[in-house]
Amino acid sequence: MDPISLQNSTTSNLLRISGLASGIDTDSIVKQLMTAASQPLYELEQQKQWLQWQQEDLQDINTKLLSLRDNTLFKMKLQGTYLAKTVSSNTSIATATAGVNAVNGTYILNVNQLATAATSASDSALNAYTTNSDGSITYNSLILAGTTCTINLNGKQITLGSSDKDWTINDIVSAINKANAGVNATYDTTTDRLFLITNSTGSNAKIDFSGTTDSNALNFLTNTLKLNTSTVTGTDASFSFNGVNITTSSNNVTVAGINVNLTGIGQTTLSVQTDTDTIYNSIKSFVDTYNDVITQINSKLTEERYYDYEPLTDAQKEQMKDSDITLWEQKARSGDLNGNSTLTSIYYSMRNAISGTVTASDGTKMTLSSIGITTGQWYEGGKLYIDDTKLKDAIQKNPQEVMDLFTKIDSATELNATPGSSKDDGIAARLYYIVNNGINSITQEAGGGQYQLYDNSFLGQQINDLNQRMSDMQDHLNTLEQQYYNQFTQLEIYMAQMNSQSQWLSQQLGG
């Protein structure tokens, strides 16, 4: 910020006398005086920039922690993540997926009959449209304006026809579909027939016109729409699962934790196994996200500080190229979070959680290294590496232990404390607790970013304090500059008076 450049053009400024009598370059002298007087303001501006850099970098890390917590750790601390199953079958007979409660094994499925919907259709063509000479079609009037009849479909009264217009087959289809009778109607121009089908399957699904008592309506159904008004019902699915006979109204059923979709008649084997690849990918995604966060935190904590590179003031930037400003600020900003106490606490807490031991439900002591996840060299700052073969083998052979390693909640924690706060809790549960606390700590220090209406964080308050001090100092500099000009103006007035007196004396002596 250049205090000289921010002066307003006031009346006092317009009345300044700049070196008319003395020949002194007043503007240059005042500018030099103000540059010296503005040094404390420059220092405040640099302090503010330094705090803003810290705030921005802390908020950037907080965004990464939020993503780690909400998009990764939340999933990793749920048991369902480690209970993924895969099911193989003859898809022409049935397709299947396994729920978390499905037990690995082989099951015999024998499908005798599929569930069907109730259907009905016109016995013959309806003559519901006419083909024009140009190939287009015109729908014929099936109910003339002013004529109505009321049919009863599955207990729903449906009035067909109106007083103001003729009705075509399209109007009839629309009326049936809007009746909420559990039946969908469609008209096919190729066959010139009306088709009805229930929107559910099983023996309870029906197309029932028996409630229709109006003779005109019955005549319309049989002679115009050419429908058989006898009640039609759907059929139930019939199958056996490992020898147990089951009847159901739907082709989609859940048996022994397996979600089965019946597709055909016959026998197939359902083979349920642990979905190793899906569980592996979840763990790998967690490791990748963790590495990204821990690497960024470590790099900021250990980043070199260049004390010879102070933040640039606006006045300094005006004298530099953009490329030079970028290079300078890279050095000046470097190390802004070096040794930051909040980040240090989060960093070591996360590493301790990762390296901790968890007791599985069978009493086995486990660590991440037990399933093939190890920490790299010391200089890598806690980065994790996966032994793919060992991890997949652990998932396949000991899925319960893998799940416990990440998700276990100590019984004492469940009763008395927040999940994840105990050293005996699972790794994902502990990390979730630590990261959540870390997010809160960073928010208290650096604020919540653009979504926070009022920044009452530690750094935010410091920046607000500096803004006030800079504003007060700018007011002082404005006053000081005016004083300087006033003094030089007074000097010019005195010099002008002395010059006038000198000329008068010279004239008198010369006369």
Side-chain angles (χ1 to χ4, degrees):
M1 181 183 301
D2 186 349
I4 302 300
S5 64
L6 296 179
Q7 303 310 306
N8 295 322
S9 297
T10 64
T11 303
S12 298
N13 292 339
L14 295 174
L15 296 177
R16 291 170 181 168
I17 301 175
S18 181
L20 294 178
S22 65
I24 297 174
D25 186 353
T26 303
D27 288 336
S28 176
I29 294 175
V30 171
K31 186 172 183 178
Q32 294 179 44
L33 291 170
M34 290 305 300
T35 298
S38 298
Q39 190 58 38
L41 180 61
Y42 297 148
E43 292 174 357
L44 291 178
E45 182 182 352
Q46 290 174 320
Q47 292 177 36
K48 176 184 174 182
Q49 180 63 80
W50 182 251
L51 293 177
Q52 287 177 327
W53 283 340
Q54 292 181 61
Q55 188 177 49
E56 291 169 4
D57 286 344
L58 282 171
Q59 289 176 357
D60 180 54
I61 291 175
N62 224 18
T63 300
K64 293 285 183 68
L65 290 174
L66 279 166
S67 178
L68 174 63
R69 182 193 69 181
D70 297 341
N71 300 330
T72 304
L73 291 176
F74 179 79
K75 175 183 177 182
M76 294 300 293
K77 68 188 185 76
L78 300 177
Q79 292 186 350
T81 302
Y82 310 91
L83 296 174
K85 308 283 185 177
T86 181
V87 185
S88 61
S89 66
N90 182 344
T91 56
S92 65
I93 297 174
T95 59
T97 59
V100 296
N101 296 322
V103 179
N104 289 358
T106 301
Y107 305 86
I108 304 300
L109 177 70
N110 196 333
V111 182
N112 303 311
Q113 178 177 285
L114 295 177
T116 63
T119 61
S120 181
S122 303
D123 293 332
S124 58
L126 303 182
N127 191 30
Y129 71 92
T130 301
T131 302
N132 302 316
S133 58
D134 60 357
S136 63
I137 63 175
T138 299
Y139 288 100
N140 300 328
S141 298
L142 300 184
I143 304 176
L144 298 176
T147 304
T148 64
C149 64
T150 300
I151 64 174
N152 184 297
L153 176 58
N154 290 345
K156 297 286 185 179
Q157 298 288 337
I158 306 174
T159 299
L160 304 178
S162 63
S163 61
D164 58 342
K165 70 168 189 174
D166 293 353
W167 270 37
T168 68
I169 187 65
N170 293 325
D171 298 312
I172 295 167
V173 167
S174 177
I176 294 174
N177 289 335
K178 290 179 180 179
N180 195 28
V183 177
N184 293 321
T186 57
Y187 171 71
D188 178 51
T189 55
T190 302
T191 60
D192 189 24
R193 300 189 185 197
L194 176 68
F195 291 87
L196 303 177
I197 183 170
T198 57
N199 51 26
S200 61
T201 59
S203 57
N204 290 328
K206 61 182 180 178
I207 300 175
D208 181 10
F209 291 106
S210 62
T212 304
T213 58
D214 182 355
S215 59
N216 290 331
L218 286 171
N219 181 64
F220 181 77
L221 288 172
T222 55
N223 295 325
T224 302
L225 298 183
K226 300 182 180 180
L227 293 171
N228 186 337
T229 57
S230 299
T231 300
V232 183
T233 62
T235 60
D236 289 331
S238 174
F239 65 95
S240 65
F241 183 86
N242 271 12
V244 178
N245 293 323
I246 301 173
T247 300
T248 177
S249 62
S250 172
N251 290 316
N252 297 305
V253 295
T254 300
V255 186
I258 305 172
N259 306 310
V260 182
N261 178 39
L262 306 177
T263 58
I265 307 300
Q267 181 174 297
T268 184
T269 297
L270 304 179
S271 180
V272 179
Q273 296 178 332
T274 299
D275 191 347
T276 302
D277 289 339
T278 295
I279 299 172
Y280 167 83
N281 289 332
S282 295
I283 296 175
K284 184 178 185 303
S285 177
F286 155 71
V287 169
D288 291 342
T289 306
Y290 172 85
N291 283 342
D292 181 46
V293 174
I294 207 73
T295 299
Q296 181 176 357
I297 293 176
N298 181 58
S299 65
K300 294 304 294 183
L301 286 173
T302 58
E303 193 174 47
E304 184 177 357
R305 174 78 183 275
Y306 297 94
Y307 290 94
D308 293 336
Y309 290 81
E310 294 290 341
L312 296 170
T313 64
D314 291 342
Q316 291 170 327
K317 290 179 181 179
E318 290 177 358
Q319 302 174 14
M320 299 173 64
K321 297 179 181 179
D322 290 342
S323 57
D324 292 336
I325 293 173
T326 300
L327 293 174
W328 181 283
E329 289 192 336
Q330 287 177 353
K331 293 283 188 179
R333 188 167 186 162
S334 176
D336 61 333
L337 297 179
N338 185 300
N340 179 275
S341 59
T342 300
L343 280 188
T344 299
S345 175
I346 296 171
Y347 174 75
Y348 284 108
S349 294
M350 290 177 67
R351 293 200 59 182
N352 287 336
I354 283 291
S355 61
T357 301
V358 178
T359 303
S361 55
D362 62 359
T364 303
K365 298 288 185 180
M366 297 191 67
T367 62
L368 281 180
S369 62
S370 303
I371 62 173
I373 302 176
T374 56
T375 305
Q377 299 296 324
W378 64 268
Y379 53 81
E380 294 180 282
K383 186 176 181 180
L384 299 178
Y385 289 89
I386 297 177
D387 181 329
D388 292 344
T389 302
K390 189 173 181 179
L391 176 57
K392 290 182 178 180
D393 187 61
I395 294 170
Q396 185 66 38
K397 295 180 179 178
N398 304 300
Q400 182 66 45
E401 292 181 2
V402 174
M403 181 175 69
D404 289 343
L405 177 62
F406 286 96
T407 68
K408 179 191 173 187
I409 299 297
D410 184 59
S411 57
T413 301
E414 291 180 334
L415 296 174
N416 304 313
T418 303
S421 60
S422 170
K423 64 179 181 180
D424 294 323
D425 291 339
I427 287 174
R430 293 202 301 256
L431 264 179
Y432 187 94
Y433 175 79
I434 289 166
V435 169
N436 189 61
N437 287 342
I439 291 169
N440 293 334
S441 296
I442 291 178
T443 301
Q444 290 175 5
E445 180 172 349
Q450 60 179 323
Y451 301 107
Q452 188 172 8
L453 296 178
Y454 178 73
D455 185 4
N456 59 354
S457 66
F458 176 70
L459 290 176
Q461 292 296 328
Q462 286 186 299
I463 291 172
N464 289 337
D465 180 63
L466 285 174
N467 283 333
Q468 185 60 52
R469 292 171 61 188
M470 291 168 65
S471 178
D472 293 342
M473 186 169 291
Q474 183 63 64
D475 290 340
H476 166 72
L477 291 173
N478 292 343
T479 302
L480 181 61
E481 182 191 38
Q482 189 59 50
Q483 289 177 353
Y484 284 146
Y485 272 108
N486 289 343
Q487 291 171 354
F488 278 103
T489 298
Q490 194 63 44
L491 173 63
E492 294 297 329
I493 292 173
Y494 290 150
M495 291 292 293
Q497 291 175 348
M498 293 176 64
N499 289 338
S500 178
Q501 291 176 358
S502 176
Q503 292 176 0
W504 179 81
L505 289 172
S506 296
Q507 291 175 357
Q508 295 298 319
L509 293 173

